[in-house]
Amino acid sequence: MALDDEHYVPLTLLDPDGGWINSPVHVSQLHGRPVLLHFWSMDCESCVGQLAQVQEWIRDYGPRGLVVIGVDVTHSEAELRDTNAVEAFARRYGLRHPIAVDDGSMAQAYGVDSHPGYLVFDTQGILRLNAFTPEQLRDVRMILERLTGPDANTGAFAP
């Protein structure tokens, strides 16, 4: 679903209560790069089923500048205090990209209420697409192609 100015959501909130797995990310590191926020939960079958797709996007678009940040939306206070389960999950599935362990506040701030969820931001940090259904995964790939393609930095991008 493409968004208009009325639904402008800036990429600013990256301060998860549970901390980070793999490596922390600060918003200043994202300037000038397209970003995919991938909201998921370890107990979500659909989320686990789509991890291979996320890994493919990292392989295809990471070398072209895309930053992928996973957001594990936990439902457990214990998980927020002890991120070992999230770390083990990341190792088991070969997730090496940054993962924020969220108590739900990041998801709420970005308007994500189902999992898996994908938010794609352009190089200016403006939300250009949100996707929450398997059918919308094609849209994610199309916009990632546009944001990392040869015309990505020419101003030719139209939302």
mmCIF file of all heavy atoms in Angstrom, residues 46-70:
data_model
loop_
_atom_site.group_PDB
_atom_site.id
_atom_site.type_symbol
_atom_site.label_atom_id
_atom_site.label_comp_id
_atom_site.label_asym_id
_atom_site.label_seq_id
_atom_site.Cartn_x
_atom_site.Cartn_y
_atom_site.Cartn_z
ATOM 1 N N SER A 46 3.759 -17.598 10.340
ATOM 2 C CA SER A 46 3.925 -16.852 9.084
ATOM 3 C C SER A 46 5.246 -16.090 9.081
ATOM 4 O O SER A 46 5.911 -15.991 8.047
ATOM 5 C CB SER A 46 2.785 -15.864 8.885
ATOM 6 O OG SER A 46 1.566 -16.525 8.760
ATOM 7 N N CYS A 47 5.600 -15.540 10.236
ATOM 8 C CA CYS A 47 6.855 -14.789 10.347
ATOM 9 C C CYS A 47 8.045 -15.692 10.042
ATOM 10 O O CYS A 47 8.938 -15.334 9.267
ATOM 11 C CB CYS A 47 7.004 -14.201 11.744
ATOM 12 S SG CYS A 47 5.726 -13.021 12.195
ATOM 13 N N VAL A 48 8.056 -16.859 10.664
ATOM 14 C CA VAL A 48 9.149 -17.810 10.451
ATOM 15 C C VAL A 48 9.172 -18.241 8.987
ATOM 16 O O VAL A 48 10.233 -18.327 8.368
ATOM 17 C CB VAL A 48 9.016 -19.027 11.397
ATOM 18 C CG1 VAL A 48 10.052 -20.087 11.072
ATOM 19 C CG2 VAL A 48 9.149 -18.581 12.852
ATOM 20 N N GLY A 49 7.997 -18.452 8.412
ATOM 21 C CA GLY A 49 7.908 -18.868 7.025
ATOM 22 C C GLY A 49 8.423 -17.836 6.040
ATOM 23 O O GLY A 49 8.851 -18.189 4.940
ATOM 24 N N GLN A 50 8.424 -16.563 6.419
ATOM 25 C CA GLN A 50 8.865 -15.503 5.510
ATOM 26 C C GLN A 50 10.302 -15.055 5.747
ATOM 27 O O GLN A 50 10.814 -14.181 5.046
ATOM 28 C CB GLN A 50 7.913 -14.312 5.602
ATOM 29 C CG GLN A 50 6.549 -14.634 5.025
ATOM 30 C CD GLN A 50 5.577 -13.473 5.092
ATOM 31 O OE1 GLN A 50 5.950 -12.329 5.303
ATOM 32 N NE2 GLN A 50 4.302 -13.764 4.898
ATOM 33 N N LEU A 51 11.001 -15.665 6.699
ATOM 34 C CA LEU A 51 12.389 -15.289 6.966
ATOM 35 C C LEU A 51 13.289 -15.516 5.753
ATOM 36 O O LEU A 51 14.207 -14.724 5.502
ATOM 37 C CB LEU A 51 12.933 -16.031 8.182
ATOM 38 C CG LEU A 51 12.356 -15.593 9.520
ATOM 39 C CD1 LEU A 51 12.878 -16.496 10.637
ATOM 40 C CD2 LEU A 51 12.668 -14.128 9.811
ATOM 41 N N ALA A 52 13.046 -16.582 5.003
ATOM 42 C CA ALA A 52 13.853 -16.836 3.808
ATOM 43 C C ALA A 52 13.707 -15.696 2.802
ATOM 44 O O ALA A 52 14.683 -15.305 2.150
ATOM 45 C CB ALA A 52 13.469 -18.170 3.180
ATOM 46 N N GLN A 53 12.503 -15.144 2.679
ATOM 47 C CA GLN A 53 12.277 -14.018 1.772
ATOM 48 C C GLN A 53 13.079 -12.799 2.220
ATOM 49 O O GLN A 53 13.690 -12.111 1.413
ATOM 50 C CB GLN A 53 10.789 -13.669 1.707
ATOM 51 C CG GLN A 53 10.480 -12.490 0.818
ATOM 52 C CD GLN A 53 10.783 -12.766 -0.632
ATOM 53 O OE1 GLN A 53 10.122 -13.564 -1.268
ATOM 54 N NE2 GLN A 53 11.791 -12.110 -1.168
ATOM 55 N N VAL A 54 13.073 -12.531 3.523
ATOM 56 C CA VAL A 54 13.829 -11.402 4.058
ATOM 57 C C VAL A 54 15.328 -11.598 3.787
ATOM 58 O O VAL A 54 16.021 -10.666 3.363
ATOM 59 C CB VAL A 54 13.552 -11.220 5.569
ATOM 60 C CG1 VAL A 54 14.452 -10.145 6.164
ATOM 61 C CG2 VAL A 54 12.074 -10.871 5.788
ATOM 62 N N GLN A 55 15.819 -12.815 4.002
ATOM 63 C CA GLN A 55 17.235 -13.101 3.739
ATOM 64 C C GLN A 55 17.570 -12.886 2.260
ATOM 65 O O GLN A 55 18.646 -12.392 1.922
ATOM 66 C CB GLN A 55 17.578 -14.537 4.153
ATOM 67 C CG GLN A 55 17.456 -14.791 5.641
ATOM 68 C CD GLN A 55 18.539 -14.088 6.423
ATOM 69 O OE1 GLN A 55 18.546 -12.858 6.564
ATOM 70 N NE2 GLN A 55 19.465 -14.856 6.939
ATOM 71 N N GLU A 56 16.638 -13.241 1.385
ATOM 72 C CA GLU A 56 16.841 -13.029 -0.049
ATOM 73 C C GLU A 56 16.940 -11.536 -0.362
ATOM 74 O O GLU A 56 17.784 -11.111 -1.150
ATOM 75 C CB GLU A 56 15.692 -13.669 -0.823
ATOM 76 C CG GLU A 56 15.855 -13.599 -2.324
ATOM 77 C CD GLU A 56 14.718 -14.304 -3.048
ATOM 78 O OE1 GLU A 56 14.377 -15.439 -2.658
ATOM 79 O OE2 GLU A 56 14.177 -13.693 -3.997
ATOM 80 N N TRP A 57 16.073 -10.737 0.249
ATOM 81 C CA TRP A 57 16.141 -9.282 0.028
ATOM 82 C C TRP A 57 17.475 -8.727 0.514
ATOM 83 O O TRP A 57 18.050 -7.845 -0.115
ATOM 84 C CB TRP A 57 14.986 -8.577 0.723
ATOM 85 C CG TRP A 57 13.645 -8.844 0.125
ATOM 86 C CD1 TRP A 57 13.372 -9.161 -1.187
ATOM 87 C CD2 TRP A 57 12.390 -8.816 0.792
ATOM 88 N NE1 TRP A 57 12.028 -9.331 -1.357
ATOM 89 C CE2 TRP A 57 11.395 -9.129 -0.162
ATOM 90 C CE3 TRP A 57 12.008 -8.550 2.096
ATOM 91 C CZ2 TRP A 57 10.050 -9.176 0.153
ATOM 92 C CZ3 TRP A 57 10.662 -8.604 2.418
ATOM 93 C CH2 TRP A 57 9.702 -8.915 1.458
ATOM 94 N N ILE A 58 17.958 -9.226 1.633
ATOM 95 C CA ILE A 58 19.263 -8.777 2.143
ATOM 96 C C ILE A 58 20.355 -9.107 1.137
ATOM 97 O O ILE A 58 21.206 -8.268 0.826
ATOM 98 C CB ILE A 58 19.556 -9.392 3.529
ATOM 99 C CG1 ILE A 58 18.595 -8.808 4.576
ATOM 100 C CG2 ILE A 58 21.013 -9.175 3.926
ATOM 101 C CD1 ILE A 58 18.620 -9.539 5.912
ATOM 102 N N ARG A 59 20.336 -10.312 0.609
ATOM 103 C CA ARG A 59 21.342 -10.719 -0.388
ATOM 104 C C ARG A 59 21.231 -9.891 -1.663
ATOM 105 O O ARG A 59 22.232 -9.466 -2.232
ATOM 106 C CB ARG A 59 21.192 -12.201 -0.735
ATOM 107 C CG ARG A 59 21.809 -13.135 0.248
ATOM 108 C CD ARG A 59 21.865 -14.574 -0.276
ATOM 109 N NE ARG A 59 20.576 -15.067 -0.751
ATOM 110 C CZ ARG A 59 19.634 -15.610 0.033
ATOM 111 N NH1 ARG A 59 19.835 -15.713 1.321
ATOM 112 N NH2 ARG A 59 18.506 -16.036 -0.493
ATOM 113 N N ASP A 60 19.982 -9.663 -2.125
ATOM 114 C CA ASP A 60 19.784 -8.965 -3.398
ATOM 115 C C ASP A 60 20.006 -7.454 -3.306
ATOM 116 O O ASP A 60 20.550 -6.853 -4.227
ATOM 117 C CB ASP A 60 18.364 -9.207 -3.930
ATOM 118 C CG ASP A 60 18.137 -10.648 -4.370
ATOM 119 O OD1 ASP A 60 19.113 -11.432 -4.429
ATOM 120 O OD2 ASP A 60 16.971 -10.996 -4.638
ATOM 121 N N TYR A 61 19.541 -6.839 -2.223
ATOM 122 C CA TYR A 61 19.531 -5.377 -2.152
ATOM 123 C C TYR A 61 20.508 -4.787 -1.139
ATOM 124 O O TYR A 61 20.798 -3.599 -1.203
ATOM 125 C CB TYR A 61 18.108 -4.883 -1.864
ATOM 126 C CG TYR A 61 17.126 -5.372 -2.903
ATOM 127 C CD1 TYR A 61 16.154 -6.312 -2.584
ATOM 128 C CD2 TYR A 61 17.196 -4.923 -4.210
ATOM 129 C CE1 TYR A 61 15.267 -6.782 -3.538
ATOM 130 C CE2 TYR A 61 16.321 -5.388 -5.179
ATOM 131 C CZ TYR A 61 15.360 -6.315 -4.841
ATOM 132 O OH TYR A 61 14.496 -6.780 -5.799
ATOM 133 N N GLY A 62 21.013 -5.594 -0.232
ATOM 134 C CA GLY A 62 22.004 -5.105 0.731
ATOM 135 C C GLY A 62 23.230 -4.515 0.051
ATOM 136 O O GLY A 62 23.670 -3.411 0.393
ATOM 137 N N PRO A 63 23.798 -5.202 -0.947
ATOM 138 C CA PRO A 63 24.963 -4.645 -1.641
ATOM 139 C C PRO A 63 24.647 -3.348 -2.384
ATOM 140 O O PRO A 63 25.544 -2.598 -2.738
ATOM 141 C CB PRO A 63 25.356 -5.753 -2.632
ATOM 142 C CG PRO A 63 24.807 -7.009 -2.050
ATOM 143 C CD PRO A 63 23.526 -6.590 -1.355
ATOM 144 N N ARG A 64 23.360 -3.075 -2.608
ATOM 145 C CA ARG A 64 22.932 -1.860 -3.311
ATOM 146 C C ARG A 64 22.494 -0.776 -2.329
ATOM 147 O O ARG A 64 21.922 0.229 -2.733
ATOM 148 C CB ARG A 64 21.809 -2.207 -4.274
ATOM 149 C CG ARG A 64 22.321 -3.095 -5.405
ATOM 150 C CD ARG A 64 21.287 -3.875 -6.161
ATOM 151 N NE ARG A 64 20.180 -3.126 -6.721
ATOM 152 C CZ ARG A 64 19.209 -3.708 -7.417
ATOM 153 N NH1 ARG A 64 19.212 -5.002 -7.632
ATOM 154 N NH2 ARG A 64 18.211 -2.976 -7.878
ATOM 155 N N GLY A 65 22.764 -0.982 -1.023
ATOM 156 C CA GLY A 65 22.513 0.068 -0.043
ATOM 157 C C GLY A 65 21.385 -0.170 0.934
ATOM 158 O O GLY A 65 21.245 0.566 1.911
ATOM 159 N N LEU A 66 20.535 -1.167 0.700
ATOM 160 C CA LEU A 66 19.415 -1.407 1.598
ATOM 161 C C LEU A 66 19.883 -1.819 2.988
ATOM 162 O O LEU A 66 20.788 -2.636 3.134
ATOM 163 C CB LEU A 66 18.509 -2.522 1.045
ATOM 164 C CG LEU A 66 17.325 -2.911 1.941
ATOM 165 C CD1 LEU A 66 16.302 -1.775 2.015
ATOM 166 C CD2 LEU A 66 16.683 -4.198 1.436
ATOM 167 N N VAL A 67 19.251 -1.241 4.011
ATOM 168 C CA VAL A 67 19.473 -1.640 5.392
ATOM 169 C C VAL A 67 18.204 -2.345 5.860
ATOM 170 O O VAL A 67 17.111 -1.780 5.758
ATOM 171 C CB VAL A 67 19.748 -0.427 6.305
ATOM 172 C CG1 VAL A 67 19.882 -0.863 7.762
ATOM 173 C CG2 VAL A 67 20.991 0.316 5.846
ATOM 174 N N VAL A 68 18.351 -3.571 6.335
ATOM 175 C CA VAL A 68 17.225 -4.319 6.871
ATOM 176 C C VAL A 68 17.381 -4.385 8.380
ATOM 177 O O VAL A 68 18.439 -4.756 8.890
ATOM 178 C CB VAL A 68 17.149 -5.745 6.284
ATOM 179 C CG1 VAL A 68 16.052 -6.555 6.964
ATOM 180 C CG2 VAL A 68 16.917 -5.686 4.778
ATOM 181 N N ILE A 69 16.328 -3.999 9.072
ATOM 182 C CA ILE A 69 16.307 -4.044 10.532
ATOM 183 C C ILE A 69 15.114 -4.895 10.946
ATOM 184 O O ILE A 69 13.970 -4.573 10.609
ATOM 185 C CB ILE A 69 16.184 -2.640 11.144
ATOM 186 C CG1 ILE A 69 17.377 -1.776 10.719
ATOM 187 C CG2 ILE A 69 16.070 -2.729 12.668
ATOM 188 C CD1 ILE A 69 17.243 -0.314 11.086
ATOM 189 N N GLY A 70 15.394 -5.983 11.641
ATOM 190 C CA GLY A 70 14.330 -6.806 12.174
ATOM 191 C C GLY A 70 13.822 -6.203 13.473
ATOM 192 O O GLY A 70 14.581 -5.601 14.222
#
